[in-house]
Amino acid sequence: MSLFRREQRSLFGEILDWMLTPLLLLWPITLALTWLVAQNLANKPFDRALEYNVQALAQLITVQGGRAQFNLPQPASEILRADDSDLVYYQVMGTRGEFLSGERDLPLPREDERQSVGEVRLRDDELRGLGVRVAWVWVRLPLPDAEPALVQVAETREKRSVLATEIIKGVMLPQFVILPLAVLLVWLALARGIKPLSQLEERIRARRPDDLSPLDDGAVPLEVAPLVSSVNDLLQRLHDSMATQKRFLADAAHQLKTPLAGLRMQADLAQRQGISTDDLKRSLQQIGRASIRATHTVNQLLALARAEGGGAPIARVPCDLAELAMEVVRDSVPRAMDKRIDLGYDGAAPGVPGVEIDGNPTLLKELVRNLLDNAINYTPAGKGAASVVTVRVLADRFGRVVMLQVEDSGPGVPPAERELVFQPFYRALGTDADGSGLGLPIVVEIARQHGAQVALDDAHPGHVPPGARFTVRFPARVDTPGG
């Protein structure tokens, strides 16, 4: 039941409904209970008077000539008739059920009441269409083998109704004043209690658009503190996200500025008067390389945005990681051959138990491809020394993980830079390898979406150069045999 219906739910209205609805529902119940209590209270004094009268009449029964006799003196008769608002009736029956005095048509008590001799009993009954309250008593007389005599006194209920009505008025009339006052006090108390929410709303509305500082959770009620804490957590994540986007855009603009500036410079050189054919070819070659670099950077930016995916869950299917890795290796063989790099796969064969994971095939191939591109970029071209890049997929069925490893024979990554290389646009110092600095961040993002962890260490510790080994640990499928 809702007393205050609104199109949009109001916290104030909801609480007010739940506080006032029981109050208004209990009020008529209280009225009914008060009426019953008032009836009981109104009956008690008049019932005592009836009991006194019936006992007094019972003492007037005598035995004469072996028979019960009843003589009502005039003063006693006047007392019974003295009430102006109610009518009083009496009845006296002898030991053989004969009528002795009073009203013949006064209803008799039930037969099963005869055993209560000497005990005054009360009941509600009806006489000549009027509701009456009856007191009666069975009287034992000193006659051999005689049944008890019956004495009854009945009274109409007018005084009782008047007294009960007065009690109801005395109890309920103040409630007609108290109830609206209680509703008003509840309204004011609720408005006072919900005021901190309005103040919190005002503080939020008064903030500048760029103000993402935490809200003060000490100035709000204890019940609202978790909400404020959640909002503060959201503001912090929003602040971090905006800072990341600003840094990303700044870095992206910086990375694109260099190839674009090179394109413009080479275009200006190519347009000079009197330029030779060889110089024109060199300028066009530089323009081609700069455009390739810009295209690669843009593609990497799009790949990173696609990998982040706006936080939406990715579609997962069972994937054979060994098969996906071998496909990427085959696609990368021509590029490795151009640099005279020995590229190979050394790991579990496709279809071997334990190499299946739940994931997105497109993103997983993008992950492997970026690791391979990074390894090929930073592995020197083969000139007498062995230049090797190796890809492995290993199944740890006891640890319930599937490991992807890509290692190279390049210069490696110093321990101080191993955390930095996973940041966007960061490139190791002292190298002339071509790249955008986005490949490894893409790897980390795809791994995060698959619940995997990425680690970096030396491929050949103690050797010069030590090389680099990237290891990605994926959780194995639950139904994988032994996994």
Side-chain angles (χ1 to χ4, degrees):
M1 178 181 179
S2 178
L3 299 179
F4 305 93
R5 297 187 181 276
R6 301 173 178 83
E7 293 183 1
Q8 185 177 8
R9 293 181 59 186
S10 165
L11 179 61
F12 184 90
E14 287 283 332
I15 298 177
L16 196 62
D17 280 358
W18 282 106
M19 294 180 70
L20 295 185
T21 299
L23 180 63
L24 298 180
L25 288 178
L26 289 175
W27 187 72
I29 298 176
T30 304
L31 180 62
L33 293 177
T34 304
W35 172 258
L36 294 177
V37 172
Q39 289 287 345
N40 185 46
L41 293 176
N43 279 333
K44 284 186 177 181
F46 300 109
D47 285 349
R48 284 196 294 269
L50 278 179
E51 292 173 359
Y52 172 78
N53 290 336
V54 78
Q55 288 173 348
L57 293 181
Q59 294 176 1
L60 299 177
I61 301 177
T62 60
V63 178
Q64 296 179 4
R67 298 185 62 179
Q69 298 290 330
F70 178 78
N71 294 312
L72 181 63
Q74 185 64 29
S77 176
E78 292 299 328
I79 292 175
L80 291 175
R81 310 292 181 180
D83 200 322
D84 293 334
S85 59
D86 277 312
L87 299 176
V88 180
Y89 307 95
Y90 77 95
Q91 181 189 71
V92 181
M93 307 293 291
T95 57
R96 295 191 298 270
E98 72 276 17
F99 174 75
L100 298 180
S101 181
E103 306 292 336
R104 288 182 178 274
D105 54 351
L106 187 63
L108 298 175
R110 299 193 309 268
E111 289 295 328
D112 57 358
E113 300 284 354
R114 285 181 179 271
Q115 67 272 18
S116 57
V117 177
E119 179 184 354
V120 179
R121 308 293 296 273
L122 293 163
R123 73 177 187 273
D124 292 323
D125 216 323
E126 188 173 311
L127 175 64
R128 300 168 190 168
L130 298 175
V132 293
R133 183 74 167 170
V134 182
W136 84 96
V137 64
W138 294 99
V139 182
R140 180 73 66 182
L141 297 177
L143 292 173
D145 301 327
E147 294 292 330
L150 174 64
V151 179
Q152 295 191 105
V153 178
E155 183 183 43
T156 54
R157 307 177 61 88
E158 183 65 26
K159 293 192 301 293
R160 300 166 189 265
S161 298
V162 171
L163 180 57
T165 302
E166 292 298 323
I167 295 174
I168 289 291
K169 288 180 180 179
V171 174
M172 299 307 298
L173 285 179
Q175 293 190 18
F176 284 101
V177 178
I178 294 174
L179 186 61
L181 182 60
V183 172
L184 177 61
L185 291 177
V186 168
W187 184 288
L188 294 176
L190 185 57
R192 172 73 177 176
I194 209 169
K195 188 176 180 180
L197 292 179
S198 301
Q199 295 174 344
L200 177 63
E201 177 191 4
E202 293 174 0
R203 290 202 303 269
I204 294 176
R205 288 184 180 276
R207 284 186 162 221
R208 301 188 309 273
D210 58 344
D211 185 5
L212 298 179
S213 60
L215 300 171
D216 182 13
D217 57 358
V220 297
L222 185 62
E223 293 77 8
V224 186
L227 174 61
V228 175
S229 178
S230 300
V231 172
N232 286 339
D233 180 65
L234 176 62
L235 289 175
Q236 182 61 43
R237 287 187 279 123
L238 183 60
H239 178 271
D240 295 342
S241 176
M242 292 181 64
T244 301
Q245 289 181 7
K246 289 180 180 178
R247 184 173 61 253
F248 181 84
L249 291 175
D251 291 342
H254 176 74
Q255 292 295 324
L256 288 174
K257 181 172 64 175
T258 300
L260 292 178
L263 282 172
R264 182 175 179 179
M265 182 184 68
Q266 294 299 329
D268 291 341
L269 291 176
Q271 293 176 4
R272 290 181 306 172
Q273 294 182 355
I275 187 174
S276 65
T277 303
D278 293 338
D279 290 338
L280 180 59
K281 288 182 178 180
R282 280 195 295 271
S283 295
L284 293 176
Q285 289 174 353
Q286 293 293 335
I287 290 174
R289 282 194 292 269
S291 63
I292 291 174
R293 182 178 177 183
T295 301
H296 179 70
T297 300
V298 171
N299 289 336
Q300 291 290 78
L301 288 171
L302 293 176
L304 182 58
R306 187 167 55 249
E308 291 176 347
I314 61 174
R316 296 172 181 256
V317 296
C319 300
D320 189 324
L321 188 59
E323 183 178 354
L324 294 178
M326 292 183 67
E327 291 179 7
V328 177
V329 169
R330 283 195 293 267
D331 294 340
S332 301
V333 167
R335 183 161 175 247
M337 293 179 64
D338 289 342
K339 291 190 66 175
R340 297 185 298 278
I341 294 175
D342 183 6
L343 173 62
Y345 176 82
D346 179 16
V352 171
V355 296
E356 274 200 348
I357 64 173
D358 289 323
N360 185 288
T362 302
L363 292 179
L364 289 173
K365 291 173 72 173
E366 185 74 20
L367 180 147
V368 179
R369 183 176 295 107
N370 277 280
L371 287 176
L372 264 180
D373 288 346
N374 182 80
I376 294 174
N377 285 339
Y378 285 92
T379 299
K383 295 180 180 178
S387 298
V388 180
V389 174
T390 305
V391 179
R392 298 188 186 91
V393 173
L394 305 173
D396 184 356
R397 291 181 288 178
F398 297 101
R400 295 186 177 183
V401 296
V402 182
M403 291 189 296
L404 169 69
Q405 290 185 340
V406 178
E407 66 177 38
D408 58 59
S409 58
V413 180
E417 297 185 33
R418 289 179 184 175
E419 293 291 335
L420 301 176
V421 295
F422 294 106
Q423 296 181 5
F425 303 110
Y426 181 85
R427 298 178 62 191
L429 299 176
T431 62
D432 56 355
D434 193 16
S436 62
L438 292 173
L440 294 181
I442 293 173
V443 169
V444 171
E445 179 61 27
I446 296 175
R448 183 191 64 80
Q449 294 189 13
H450 287 79
Q453 297 177 344
V454 183
L456 169 61
D457 53 12
D458 290 335
H460 309 287
H463 290 72
V464 179
R469 179 191 295 120
F470 289 87
T471 303
V472 186
R473 290 178 171 84
F474 294 91
R477 295 192 66 203
V478 176
D479 57 349
T480 299

